[in-house]
Amino acid sequence: MIDLNAIVSKIGADMAAMEDRGRVADYIPQLGRVDPQQFGMAVVTAAGDTYQTGHASTPFSIQSVSKVFTLAIALGRLGEALWKRVGVEPSGHAFNSILQLETEAGIPRNPFINAGALVVTDSILAGHAPRETLGEILRFVRMSAGDDSIHINRNVAASEEAHGHLNRALANFMMSHGTLQNAPDLTCGTYFHQCAIEMNCLQLANAGRFLMGGNAGQNLISAEKVRRINALMMTCGHYDGSGEFAFRVGLPGKSGVGGGILLIVPGKASVAVWSPGLNRRGNSRLGTMAMERLANATGWTVFV
Ligand code: GLN
């Protein structure tokens, strides 16, 4: 019998005592102001039980974790046609790299690097006003979390908008290749705002339930799509750190530069962790460590 209460509390206590907490992302100035001394974790099981520790009720910027939700919406809307515009291979490069776009005809490697996520957002934008699309993204996130209070932090969105030159470069480059269909500024503006969605660990763990699959999955999307999103989270969810995350944790996860990670234990649990200090690949340092300890202590893995 797994004692999740004891496991989660012990992880919380161990992480609170850690000295090297990594570096907070400061290329988005608003994120650079977050106190690195914070750590929170929440586990929601398929049976609906909840376990939490630390700053599990403190809201944080979900950043790239939002790419999971937009991918779910885009797959529902476009189905297989989405894969003509974005690939399903790990990139082995930083999340914001432009390198492969040049040699690969403007088609991003996967939907979780920035270029790929811009394509996904562009595909749901498809002629709508950014405000309508953001409303749709928020509706999906609120429904999956079962919480209508989830919102976008406009200061964080404005902060990224003011410093998002690299994302705009990616978008313009893809526009010139015909990969994007909307004006790059509209796609980028929508993307900056989806990244600025705030949630706490409890809300994020609840929002991830639909990826557990089976009855716990609330039937928000089909089982086939759940399988594909989890596969992409495993292979691409941590960018050039995806191999290491799979090796250490052995479960599909998606990270964001706000320091959040959503982890899916298929059929069993949805887990969210947050600690703002990042490792050199831009993934939460303590968050990754905490997920590794959780996987070891519970035996949860997709590999044995
Ligand atoms: N909004 C961030 C960016 O585009 C998201 C990156 C991330 O979380 N890895 O740079």
Side-chain angles (χ1 to χ4, degrees), residues 202-257:
L202 264 173
Q203 289 169 323
L204 183 57
N206 273 312
R209 286 173 302 175
F210 75 101
L211 293 172
M212 269 191 244
N215 291 337
Q218 311 155 294
N219 295 322
L220 269 188
I221 60 171
S222 69
E224 188 194 11
K225 295 191 176 80
V226 166
R227 186 162 50 96
R228 296 204 143 154
I229 294 175
N230 278 321
L232 288 165
M233 286 170 76
M234 177 70 89
T235 52
C236 313
H238 283 70
Y239 319 111
D240 44 343
S242 299
E244 187 183 336
F245 191 85
F247 183 78
R248 286 172 62 184
V249 182
L251 289 160
K254 180 75 207 81
S255 75
V257 287

Side-chain angles (χ1 to χ4, degrees), residues 81-294:
L82 180 66
W83 307 122
K84 293 201 171 71
R85 295 173 61 188
V86 59
V88 293
E89 288 297 337
S91 72
H93 286 274
F95 65 90
N96 53 8
S97 174
I98 201 166
L99 206 64
Q100 287 161 335
L101 277 184
E102 166 107 57
T103 51
E104 298 180 3
I107 307 283
R109 279 282 176 108
N110 67 69
F112 290 151
I113 50 174
N114 285 8
L118 285 164
V119 171
V120 170
T121 299
D122 184 78
S123 78
I124 17 183
L125 193 53
H128 297 96
R131 187 173 296 136
E132 292 171 314
T133 299
L134 286 166
E136 184 181 0
I137 296 170
L138 265 183
R139 267 195 302 284
F140 186 92
V141 170
R142 286 172 175 169
M143 190 167 45
S144 59
D147 187 335
D148 280 343
S149 71
I150 294 168
H151 63 274
I152 293 170
N153 182 322
R154 300 203 171 274
N155 292 334
V156 173
S159 184
E160 182 162 7
E161 189 108 52
H163 294 84
H165 310 297
L166 186 46
N167 282 319
R168 278 195 285 272
L170 293 170
N172 279 297
F173 193 88
M174 290 190 289
M175 189 73 184
S176 77
H177 277 276
T179 314
L180 292 196
Q181 287 167 357
N182 302 278
D185 273 351
L186 296 186
T187 296
C188 285
T190 310
Y191 168 80
F192 295 148
H193 282 78
Q194 84 181 49
C195 287
I197 292 174
E198 274 185 356
M199 287 199 238
N200 61 38
C201 290
L202 264 173
Q203 289 169 323
L204 183 57
N206 273 312
R209 286 173 302 175
F210 75 101
L211 293 172
M212 269 191 244
N215 291 337
Q218 311 155 294
N219 295 322
L220 269 188
I221 60 171
S222 69
E224 188 194 11
K225 295 191 176 80
V226 166
R227 186 162 50 96
R228 296 204 143 154
I229 294 175
N230 278 321
L232 288 165
M233 286 170 76
M234 177 70 89
T235 52
C236 313
H238 283 70
Y239 319 111
D240 44 343
S242 299
E244 187 183 336
F245 191 85
F247 183 78
R248 286 172 62 184
V249 182
L251 289 160
K254 180 75 207 81
S255 75
V257 287
I261 300 176
L262 173 65
L263 186 83
I264 304 302
V265 192
K268 293 200 172 75
S270 170
V271 184
V273 73
W274 168 60
S275 182
L278 308 178
N279 62 25
R280 70 197 162 98
R281 312 257 193 230
N283 303 312
S284 174
R285 180 177 152 76
L286 296 194
T288 306
M289 213 181 267
M291 292 305 201
E292 183 176 19
R293 289 182 186 210
L294 181 72

Side-chain angles (χ1 to χ4, degrees), residues 69-88:
F69 303 106
T70 47
L71 178 60
I73 296 170
L75 274 178
R77 175 91 60 86
L78 281 79
E80 297 297 301
L82 180 66
W83 307 122
K84 293 201 171 71
R85 295 173 61 188
V86 59
V88 293

